[in-house]
Amino acid sequence: MTCAGGTESAPRCPPATVTRERRTTLLTDDGVPIEARYEPSPTPGAEPSGTLALVLGHGFTGSLERPALRRVASAFRQRTAVITFSFRGHGRSGGRSTVGDREVLDLAAAVAWARRLGHRRVATVGFSMGGSVVIRQAALYGTGHGENEEIRPMQDVHHGGRTGRSQRRTAPAPGDAPDTASGPALDAAPGPASGPALDAAPGPAPGPDPAPGRAPDAAPDAVIAVSAPARWYYRGTAPMRRVHWAVTRPAGRLVSRYGLRTRIDPRGWGVDPLPPVAAAPLIAPTPLLIVHGDRDPYFPLDHPRMLASAADPSSTELWIEPGFGHAETAASPALLTRIADWAAAHT
């Protein structure tokens, strides 16, 4: 039996809603197993199962079991259902981290799972590296391409703003001067001292990416990027230079693997992925919320302002939060409540 407008293997009508916690392993379009967890809201009067779900993307070195993400998920569950998962190379998920590149496939699988669980509205919430991923995933899978435009293969949207050709990148030394505004910058996240966070860098080219099939129902209805970078290769702060070391140096990758349970692909990027600032204008008309702290030690305020300036003003909001630091670790219960309420109002 099939649903109207669908096939037996891919019905268009939603299945029965889920009202209990569930754990599963998702398989991405490129074959990477991703651990995921679904939690309905236990709060009377919260969004009922079948309507809104928040899909959370953690920062670099995070996972669905890390205390910071568990605290965020618990706060959001007071308002609605939540899906958490571990990006590739993190926690119990398979594969190796590409630090914000192919992680869009992990997020797409989680959004599609929310739809299969019966949720008609899905908002993605990403922190630090996860913030760059939710922006890029919405641009690649969302409705902003227009009615007649198909999503392009990933290798067609991997570019760094200067050239579309494949470039072999050599990461900057940790002591190098910060990038200027004219070129791409490396973005990443916190190291062990401050908790999970984001983005990183290149190395020898692994070859062109396979073109993923567009996952059914993987487009989000709203996007929230918290403490996200705007551009790649940013190294203007000391924490970011430490992240460069952890991602691009063999000794740093060993520390990440055994100390932080984060397995990083040593091949790096063959071609720069579409940077968040170039992806932001492709998201509209999907609502976009950019949240950043004025005390963020990793990415200064030019990052959120660049993202907001590039995005469609009719569907984008920018919150600069006084006293807020970085990502999951620093987000207060009051801020998380406001984010959940914004998602409910804009989906």
Side-chain angles (χ1 to χ4, degrees):
M1 182 175 180
T2 63
C3 296
T7 65
E8 190 159 322
S9 61
R12 296 300 298 170
C13 58
T17 59
V18 175
T19 57
R20 58 183 175 81
E21 181 178 330
R22 176 180 295 186
R23 291 173 181 262
T24 192
T25 299
L26 306 172
L27 194 65
T28 65
D29 277 348
D30 61 345
V32 176
I34 301 296
E35 65 167 345
R37 177 177 181 177
Y38 172 79
E39 299 172 89
S41 177
T43 304
E47 284 277 351
S49 179
T51 55
L52 176 64
L54 299 181
V55 178
L56 310 189
H58 60 75
F60 182 58
T61 77
S63 75
L64 67 78
E65 299 293 355
R66 288 292 176 94
L69 194 68
R70 295 304 316 143
R71 183 178 62 83
V72 171
S74 296
F76 285 154
R77 286 185 66 208
Q78 304 310 307
R79 293 293 193 273
T80 188
V82 173
I83 286 177
T84 52
F85 66 96
S86 298
F87 283 119
R88 61 185 63 204
H90 292 74
R92 295 185 179 88
S93 290
R96 294 184 179 183
S97 174
T98 62
V99 204
D101 180 8
R102 299 182 69 79
E103 282 75 7
V104 295
L105 301 177
D106 310 345
L107 181 62
V111 172
W113 187 42
R115 304 287 188 194
R116 292 196 300 272
L117 291 172
H119 288 279
R120 296 186 298 275
R121 297 183 294 149
V122 180
T124 54
V125 187
F127 298 86
S128 194
M129 179 185 76
S132 75
V133 174
V134 299
I135 291 172
R136 297 184 63 246
Q137 193 268 347
L140 294 173
Y141 287 84
T143 59
H145 295 280
E147 292 183 4
N148 300 317
E149 186 175 351
E150 296 293 331
I151 184 170
R152 294 173 290 171
M154 287 187 71
Q155 63 263 33
D156 291 340
V157 294
H158 280 203
H159 61 79
R162 292 188 294 185
T163 175
R165 296 195 303 268
S166 175
Q167 303 175 63
R168 182 186 177 107
R169 292 281 188 187
T170 302
D176 285 351
D179 287 331
T180 63
S182 59
L186 167 70
D187 285 341
S194 348
L198 161 67
D199 268 359
D209 292 324
R214 185 166 186 166
D217 299 321
D221 298 302
V223 180
I224 299 131
V226 183
S227 305
R231 57 197 190 274
W232 305 138
Y233 304 105
Y234 178 73
R235 58 186 187 272
T237 59
M240 286 306 307
R241 290 191 286 273
R242 291 196 296 269
V243 172
H244 271 270
W245 175 83
V247 172
T248 63
R249 303 297 176 88
R253 290 193 292 271
L254 281 174
V255 170
S256 296
R257 181 182 185 91
Y258 295 107
L260 302 173
R261 297 185 60 198
T262 301
R263 306 172 305 281
I264 300 168
D265 192 333
R267 298 170 298 177
W269 295 339
V271 182
D272 286 355
L274 182 73
V277 71
L282 305 178
I283 294 176
T286 301
L288 170 63
L289 173 62
I290 300 163
V291 182
H292 213 92
D294 66 358
R295 295 189 181 179
D296 192 310
Y298 297 91
F299 307 121
L301 291 178
D302 64 312
H303 284 263
R305 288 167 177 159
M306 286 177 65
L307 290 171
S309 295
D312 187 333
S314 67
S315 57
T316 303
E317 289 187 39
L318 171 62
W319 295 356
I320 301 296
E321 296 296 309
F324 175 39
H326 188 76
E328 306 101 309
T329 307
S332 69
L335 175 59
L336 295 173
T337 296
R338 287 169 52 211
I339 289 172
D341 289 344
W342 185 94
H346 288 81
T347 48

